[in-house]
Amino acid sequence: MRVSETFIPTLREDPGEAETVSHRLMLRAGLIRKVAAGIYTYLPLGLRVLRKIERIVREEMNRAGAQELLMPVASPAELWRETGRWDFYGKELLRFKDRHERDFCLGPTHEEVITDLFRREVRSYRQMPLNFYQIQTKFRDEIRPRFGLMRGREFIMKDAYSFDRDEAGARLNYQKMYDAYNRIFTRCGLTFRPVEADTGLIGGTSSHEFMVLAETGEETIVYSEDGTYAANVERAEVLPPETSDQAAHRPLTPVSTPGRRSVEEVTTFLKIEPQHLVKTLLYSAGKETVAVLVRGDHDVNEIKVKRLLGVPELELLKPELVPGLTGAPVGFAGPVGLKQVRILGDWAVKAMANFVVGANQADTHFVDANWERDFNVDQFADLRNARAGDCSPRKDGTLKTAKGIEVGHVFMLGTKYSQAMKATFLDAQGQEQLAIMGCYGIGVSRTAAASVEQNHDAKGIKWPVPIAPFHVTLLPLSQSQPVTQLADSLYHAMQDSGIEVLWDDRDERAGVKFNDADLIGAPYHLVIGEKGLAQGQVELKFRHTGVTQKIAPDQVLSLLGSLLKAAS
RNA sequence: CGGGGCGUAGCGCAGCCCGGUAGCGCGCCUGCUUUGGGAGCAGGAUGUCGGAGGUUCAAAUCCUCUCGCCCCGACCA
């Protein structure tokens, strides 16, 4: 395509609205424009990138035996009521009424719709296994959309749903999808890592997230540097400590800690390490109030607490309710003498002795507290976030942490949806069975943004070949006849041999063209200038390395051809 | 929803505190020169100052309300 005939509105300056790298560069390079918060138009260049990713996704999904279909964006409330998600999904589900006052929503995911299809159409085990996928616009009314395409409200997702006769079949489909995802993100040129994950609102029995490793990622993952373990920090197990503090228990002693509330304030004031303090966090879990005890330098993992309690919602107790419960202002809560509250303790607390806790009295803490002697812990469990330096739960080394962008997520659903919606089939014995389901998502638009996060420099984007909007930018630096003529013939020759080329045919100065080319980020730039041409040469620049190479015009096709072949 | 910030020309911003002619840079249009890393000179066009209401002789500026956007948090396949 010719730049002069293509809508590529590049921006010289950073737009005021964008701070994140991918958001900024995608706006500046003319890939996207905002319509409303978290809602974007994909401009020609941006759409080309999405189509490339979609193509890779389709090829790998088809190869893995999934079949493409397309479900509607709008779906009726009745399906969502069947699974309870009409209420449970909350405000993220964008709802509306049609002209007959019937409730509808815009699909944030499609388990209900596909399960409805399955139960209407599939009768026999002979029709299974099945795996359907679609690439479609999804809508989630996020509380806070941000970072451009990274967390949009409307976005493009590939979602797949598998239906199996039994657990073994479901596991096989899960594995196929897991493998396909590895191939997809590898082909997209991303540095990523599959990690064990929590199942969240989708539910189900187990899942993995595919994380693109990037500093700006919203997720934290932990992994064993030497081993194979990797998990989202939400999910990562923490093993109980192997040794515990055997020190003789000293007597419980109140000390004055005026105005010292936070861990930092208290430990600084008492001149102790945070490892010798126990934090007491009060939560409301449904109708119950629970106290969670963790070591001063640890963080509570609320997902683990929720799972242990078997409750869907967990919220820190509202500050105004704390004094009524503890008899002290916020900041001085402790387990000693705490009434009407279930007390949960993290494993690390079990290994402690003679520690500091709040005294449930203003401006007072206890030192030398000990569990069992001074207070009762109803249950010890793994309740904290894993962190760097912890032992891997597989005991295959020490954990490190990294930031990641979730671009894919695979779930074993089991019968959660087939049960709720009575999606059954007759097995070989004529018995009615529930379909065993799995579901598998890829954020297509987010994948594009993640790639930019991972592949850029101060000048702009550095697209990997397989998802670049164009393979080559052709940059004739003057309007002189020999230069234009060569550009024209190379342009057509490249097109004829299947090389996707963007020809900057504008009468612009060299600097403008160079800067736009760097910003847009095609992997190869072919520069034709008067000086080089006088010596019978053109210049090939590799956007990723910045390396340039002088070559004869008649070598361009074969060289680019082999470079592209090697890179895709 | 809580906290912080912003809304002035297509884009990036100044002006607001302390009310009185709406400005700068880039881009855009015309002409000449220039042409290997965002050109120079000359000339030109472009504004419901987010919206509504109020105070005032006078509001971009002060007050009230409202809409939108960004960042942090809560939240979240």
Side-chain angles (χ1 to χ4, degrees):
Chain A
M1 288 164 80
R2 294 168 188 243
V3 171
S4 66
E5 297 170 357
T6 311
F7 187 69
I8 310 176
T10 57
L11 303 173
R12 292 198 173 204
E13 290 172 273
D14 282 333
E17 70 183 49
E19 292 194 4
T20 316
V21 168
S22 63
H23 190 193
R24 229 173 54 219
L25 289 177
M26 293 180 96
L27 285 166
R28 278 194 61 199
L31 301 173
I32 57 170
R33 284 293 183 265
K34 187 177 68 189
V35 176
I39 299 177
Y40 290 84
T41 293
Y42 305 108
L43 302 182
L45 230 48
L47 186 61
R48 287 182 71 97
V49 172
L50 294 180
R51 294 292 183 243
K52 293 271 179 98
I53 296 169
E54 289 174 5
R55 185 177 156 190
I56 292 171
V57 168
R58 282 197 171 89
E59 285 175 8
E60 295 299 339
M61 293 305 290
N62 293 342
R63 177 144 85 129
Q67 308 176 57
E68 185 169 6
L69 47 61
L70 187 58
M71 290 179 266
V73 172
S75 55
E78 59 191 51
L79 287 178
W80 293 80
R81 291 200 172 103
E82 282 191 58
T83 58
R85 287 209 292 186
W86 185 257
D87 297 318
F88 200 61
Y89 215 105
K91 289 190 173 169
E92 223 175 297
L93 186 65
L94 187 70
R95 300 149 211 254
F96 61 97
K97 286 180 193 294
D98 70 6
R99 62 167 66 196
H100 303 294
E101 293 288 304
R102 290 182 289 232
D103 287 319
F104 275 81
C105 65
L106 294 183
T109 176
H110 278 68
E111 284 81 8
E112 281 79 1
V113 179
I114 196 77
T115 305
D116 181 56
L117 178 80
F118 176 91
R119 70 178 170 186
R120 287 167 186 274
E121 305 298 331
V122 178
R123 298 273 93 90
S124 158
Y125 74 99
R126 293 176 193 274
Q127 296 166 277
M128 299 167 69
L130 285 167
N131 190 354
F132 297 113
Y133 78 97
Q134 64 174 345
I135 295 175
Q136 190 210 34
T137 296
K138 292 281 188 280
F139 201 100
R140 292 182 189 176
D141 202 0
E142 295 276 353
I143 294 174
R144 182 150 92 89
R146 56 184 136 178
F147 307 149
L149 295 194
M150 203 78 85
R151 182 171 293 278
R153 289 194 289 169
E154 184 175 310
F155 58 98
I156 297 177
M157 178 164 123
K158 185 286 300 180
D159 46 326
Y161 306 89
S162 65
F163 297 85
D164 274 279
R165 305 166 192 170
D166 50 33
E167 280 287 340
R171 271 195 299 276
L172 185 65
N173 253 325
Y174 185 86
Q175 188 63 42
K176 279 186 187 170
M177 290 295 103
Y178 183 93
D179 294 342
Y181 276 34
N182 273 302
R183 285 196 299 271
I184 288 166
F185 295 122
T186 301
R187 285 183 63 186
C188 286
L190 292 164
T191 302
F192 68 97
R193 177 143 208 175
V195 304
E196 293 178 17
D198 185 64
T199 53
L201 268 185
I202 297 286
T205 50
S206 70
S207 81
H208 285 86
E209 288 167 333
F210 287 75
M211 294 287 194
V212 166
L213 304 180
E215 267 312 304
T216 45
E218 294 184 86
E219 309 285 337
T220 301
I221 67 172
V222 298
Y223 61 97
S224 157
E225 202 175 13
D226 316 310
T228 56
Y229 183 77
N232 190 313
V233 74
E234 294 176 343
R235 171 76 186 188
E237 274 176 75
V238 179
L239 299 173
E242 294 190 341
T243 58
S244 54
D245 188 340
Q246 298 298 326
H249 291 183
R250 295 187 291 266
L252 182 71
T253 312
V255 294
S256 169
T257 50
R260 274 43 174 215
R261 295 160 191 272
S262 69
V263 171
E264 198 192 336
E265 288 165 357
V266 173
T267 54
T268 307
F269 182 73
L270 296 176
K271 298 188 174 62
I272 57 164
E273 297 298 314
Q275 297 91 292
H276 296 115
L277 178 142
V278 167
K279 281 192 275 197
T280 305
L281 292 133
L282 299 166
Y283 285 95
S284 44
K287 289 177 184 165
E288 190 183 21
T289 301
V290 298
V292 178
L293 308 181
V294 293
R295 214 169 75 182
D297 56 330
H298 289 157
D299 293 321
V300 173
N301 180 319
E302 295 183 1
I303 289 173
K304 290 177 178 176
V305 178
K306 273 192 221 176
R307 194 179 296 138
L308 181 73
L309 294 171
V311 295
E313 295 298 329
L314 187 73
E315 219 181 335
L316 265 179
L317 198 64
K318 296 202 188 329
E320 59 268 26
L321 298 178
V322 170
L325 195 74
T326 64
V330 173
F332 301 97
V336 181
L338 203 57
K339 296 280 192 293
Q340 306 155 331
V341 174
R342 177 138 62 130
I343 299 180
L344 305 176
D346 180 64
W347 289 127
V349 173
K350 192 175 185 185
M352 294 168 71
N354 300 320
F355 44 83
V356 173
V357 292
N360 297 327
Q361 188 186 330
D363 300 331
T364 311
H365 281 73
F366 284 122
V367 298
D368 296 328
N370 287 282
W371 56 275
E372 201 163 40
R373 184 193 69 183
D374 302 321
F375 59 91
N376 184 48
V377 174
D378 293 287
Q379 192 174 359
F380 283 107
D382 170 18
L383 297 176
R384 72 172 171 98
N385 280 338
R387 58 174 194 176
D390 286 343
C391 176
S392 159
R394 297 231 184 95
K395 303 200 173 177
D396 59 354
T398 305
L399 295 182
K400 300 199 67 164
T401 61
K403 287 289 181 182
I405 301 163
E406 180 194 352
V407 290
H409 203 158
V410 293
F411 296 85
M412 288 272 275
L413 289 176
T415 56
K416 173 173 169 159
Y417 294 92
S418 49
Q419 188 156 36
M421 298 182 68
K422 299 186 179 61
T424 60
F425 62 96
L426 291 181
D427 68 13
Q429 283 74 47
Q431 297 292 308
E432 194 168 61
Q433 300 288 351
L434 290 170
I436 313 291
M437 293 176 58
C439 72
Y440 319 93
I442 288 178
V444 172
S445 38
R446 185 185 277 182
T447 298
S451 177
V452 176
E453 289 292 333
Q454 214 167 52
N455 305 294
H456 69 272
D457 61 16
K459 290 258 174 197
I461 305 173
K462 304 198 275 191
W463 291 110
V465 170
I467 64 173
F470 289 92
H471 297 139
V472 180
T473 307
L474 181 60
L475 298 159
L477 295 186
S478 88
Q479 299 295 108
S480 78
Q481 211 257 341
V483 169
T484 306
Q485 196 170 17
L486 180 60
D488 188 78
S489 70
L490 282 174
Y491 175 68
H492 288 101
M494 281 192 267
Q495 283 198 319
D496 290 345
S497 59
I499 296 170
E500 296 171 16
V501 54
L502 182 66
W503 177 10
D504 195 343
D505 59 341
R506 295 174 300 175
D507 183 12
E508 284 286 357
R509 300 178 69 81
V512 173
K513 294 190 180 188
F514 284 135
N515 282 311
D516 270 351
D518 286 339
L519 180 60
I520 290 166
Y524 307 108
H525 300 175
L526 194 64
V527 181
I528 307 174
E530 307 257 12
K531 290 175 190 167
L533 201 53
Q535 295 159 23
Q537 288 183 319
V538 297
E539 205 171 271
L540 181 65
K541 174 178 158 183
F542 296 79
R543 178 69 180 91
H544 278 261
T545 58
V547 171
T548 59
Q549 180 182 344
K550 289 185 165 51
I551 55 169
D554 58 9
Q555 294 176 333
V556 165
L557 275 191
S558 61
L559 180 56
L560 279 174
S562 54
L563 284 169
L564 289 171
K565 196 173 172 194
S568 54

